Structures are given as C-alpha cells and as structure tokens.
Amino acid sequence: MKIAFWSEQKRAGTTFNLSVIACASVIKHPISAAVVSGGYRNEALERGLLDTQGLASKMERLSLGHMEESFLAAETQEYFTVTGLDCLLFKQREELTETVLKANMRQVVKDRMYCLPSSVRTEREWWRQDGSFVRMSRVLDAVESCFDVVFIDCGSRKDDYAQKVLKEADVCVLNINQENPEIRNFYRNPRKYPGKPFLLLGNYFEDALYNRGNLYRIYRVEEELLGAVPYNPWLQAASQKGKLLNGVKRCLEQEALGKNVEFSRELVRTVDLILKLAGLAQ
C-alpha cells in the first residue's frame, strides 16, 4: 500500500505533515509503516524523524579513542561505506530482502516504523544512471512488500519520477495551505489521479475563513476526503531537532489532560480517514 503526499505549492509543509501523520498512524493503529522520499535525495524528511544530532554526537564520542588509528588509515587508503538508499539502489531485485532493506533503514518505532535515508549523491548524478527509474522503482516495490503502508514524500516536485509515484500510489494526499488564494481552483478543478485522492489542509486554523465547515458548504467537498493538520509551532520546533515522534506522542497524550485537544482531535480524524481510504482501518 503506497500513500503519496504532494503539493502544487512550495513551502506548503508537505514533508512535515506527512511525517506527523505517519507517526500518528503507527501510534494509534496496529500497523507497520515505512517513510521514504519520492526522489533520490530529501534530507528534510529524515531530519524530522531521526535525531541526527544525537547520532552524530554519539559517533563522535565512540570515535575519540580511535582517532589516531583513523587518521593513519585515511593516509594509507581511501574507502567509504555505502548505506541507505545508495546501497539499495545497487542491489538486484532478488537481493532486496527484508533483512537487507531494514539494515539500510533507520528505525523510528521499534519493529514497526522505519525511515529510509536518502542518497548523499545529487539528483543529477542518479538521473544519468537511473533515467528510467528502474533502480528506484524496485527499491520502492521491495519496501512496500515489507510494510503495511509506505508513506512517500513527493514534496512539490514536478519531475517525471514524482509524477510516476503519484500515478502508482493507492492514495494521493494533496496538500495545500488553508489561506492560499488558489484554493478555489484547487477544489473546483481538482487534479485527477488513478489513486484515491485526499485533500489535506496544512497549518490549519479552525477560525479561518476557509475552515472545513465552509469548504464543505461552498465547494461540496465530501467530509471523508478532507483532513487537516492544525498549526502547531511547538511540534514544528520538535521536528527541527529530530524529535517529531516524541512530540506527536506528547500531543496525543495531553488530550486527556485538556491540552492540545483541537490539534489531537483533528490529527486523529485525518489519520483515521486516510487509513480508511487506504483500506487499513475501519
């Protein structure tokens, strides 16, 4: 099951919204999920889910005792270890086993949620080597076979591969800012994709003009095809530190204490609707 997130607008928070929804999906439902980029390189995706600063600090501490040996080795030979997407892109289809895939992914929730680190190489380099997207497609297909759902971040990309992902996705989540002046055209003339469409409002404010109630009334949008991620600066700050999962957990837990109630209810509603559309929830 592939769920692709995409926006016609730049800086619409698509990556953040996908990550929040993916975390909440695993927290609230008994499913396994992978989070991947709809391209060869996307550092923003892994930055919110993986505490890269903490990992770098740990690696630095571990390496202090071996610094002299490392410098000596660097002087005598050149070598590097290929991991993550860069490793998987060089594997044949039969080599992409669950063990190999998960060894090259980073665990976000133990045994249930993984993030695939993107390539360290430029898009241009891969475009020359994988012009027909054969390598990227077989990696994505292999990842899909190991998880209940794969959340794919296409951002606002308009390249051929991103469009290919959207055409093959089972559900297409189309992300848009609530107050964008183009919202009228977006709802009156929605893009058509083979997958089931779902409209998502990012940085949502219930008291704004284009809230869900007014959109239902003005554009006759079906309630089960429209969701929102409310504006939450605290959670966005947590994302910048690679602590998004803990941030989402905290928000959902605080609902019982009367805090973050609007955010939690809107997020849970959106998650339930998307997973129901994908056939993963009742």
Side-chain angles (χ1 to χ4, degrees):
M1 177 64 61
K2 297 188 183 84
I3 301 178
F5 283 63
W6 182 76
S7 177
E8 289 185 330
Q9 311 158 330
K10 293 183 178 179
R11 296 182 293 277
T14 305
T15 300
F16 173 78
N17 292 336
L18 176 151
S19 301
V20 170
I21 288 172
C23 288
S25 296
V26 173
I27 292 170
K28 301 296 290 186
H29 293 269
I31 61 173
S32 62
V35 181
V36 304
S37 172
Y40 304 99
R41 190 168 185 174
N42 183 357
E43 295 175 355
L45 179 63
E46 54 209 79
R47 188 182 303 125
L49 294 170
L50 307 176
D51 187 0
T52 53
Q53 292 181 340
L55 177 63
S57 176
K58 180 179 179 181
M59 294 300 293
E60 183 179 356
R61 292 195 302 271
L62 289 173
S63 65
L64 285 176
H66 304 283
M67 190 172 293
E68 292 184 2
E69 291 87 347
S70 298
F71 284 140
L72 180 60
E75 290 177 358
T76 57
Q77 62 180 335
E78 294 182 1
Y79 65 93
F80 63 93
T81 302
V82 178
T83 60
L85 180 60
D86 284 320
C87 173
L88 299 179
L89 285 169
F90 284 105
K91 300 287 186 183
Q92 295 300 313
R93 191 175 298 274
E94 60 273 13
E95 297 177 293
L96 294 170
T97 63
E98 182 173 354
T99 301
V100 170
L101 288 168
K102 290 184 176 179
N104 283 280
M105 302 176 77
R106 291 280 303 282
Q107 190 169 241
V108 181
V109 177
K110 184 174 175 56
D111 298 330
R112 294 183 56 219
M113 183 176 177
Y114 287 75
C115 177
L116 176 60
S118 59
S119 174
V120 298
R121 300 166 65 174
T122 65
E123 294 274 356
R124 184 176 298 178
E125 286 182 279
W126 277 116
W127 219 260
R128 289 198 298 268
Q129 294 190 24
D130 193 19
S132 298
F133 316 122
V134 174
R135 296 182 181 186
M136 192 67 179
S137 293
R138 69 188 177 207
V139 169
L140 198 55
D141 289 344
V143 171
E144 183 183 14
S145 70
C146 297
F147 296 88
D148 295 323
V149 58
V150 182
F151 293 95
I152 309 170
D153 176 27
C154 293
S156 58
R157 301 168 62 106
K158 295 180 173 64
D159 56 74
D160 293 341
Y161 185 67
Q163 294 304 310
K164 181 177 185 293
V165 170
L166 290 170
K167 289 178 181 178
E168 294 177 352
D170 299 284
V171 175
C172 295
V173 178
L174 308 178
N175 185 70
I176 189 169
N177 279 331
Q178 185 176 10
E179 296 295 341
N180 190 284
E182 294 297 319
I183 198 167
R184 298 176 182 85
N185 293 332
F186 185 84
Y187 284 106
R188 287 173 178 167
N189 302 296
R191 284 176 172 260
K192 290 181 170 58
Y193 292 104
K196 301 172 184 176
F198 185 87
L199 308 179
L200 179 66
L201 300 175
N203 288 328
Y204 180 73
F205 290 91
E206 177 59 32
D207 57 357
L209 175 61
Y210 290 109
N211 58 25
R212 288 198 292 108
N214 284 337
L215 290 172
Y216 298 148
R217 180 176 56 83
I218 297 171
Y219 300 115
R220 302 292 188 269
V221 179
E222 298 177 49
E223 293 190 26
E224 63 270 22
L225 297 180
L226 175 62
V229 176
Y231 177 66
N232 191 318
W234 179 84
L235 196 57
Q236 291 178 358
S239 176
Q240 293 298 316
K241 299 176 182 178
K243 300 182 182 298
L244 187 59
L245 174 67
N246 290 336
V248 173
K249 279 183 179 179
R250 182 177 175 183
C251 287
L252 295 177
E253 289 169 354
Q254 286 182 337
E255 182 183 4
L257 303 175
K259 301 178 181 179
N260 290 307
V261 173
E262 180 182 337
F263 175 85
S264 297
R265 288 179 180 172
E266 197 70 53
L267 175 59
V268 170
R269 174 187 176 276
T270 298
V271 165
D272 289 347
L273 289 176
I274 291 176
L275 294 184
K276 183 177 179 180
L277 196 60
L280 296 170
Q282 297 296 322

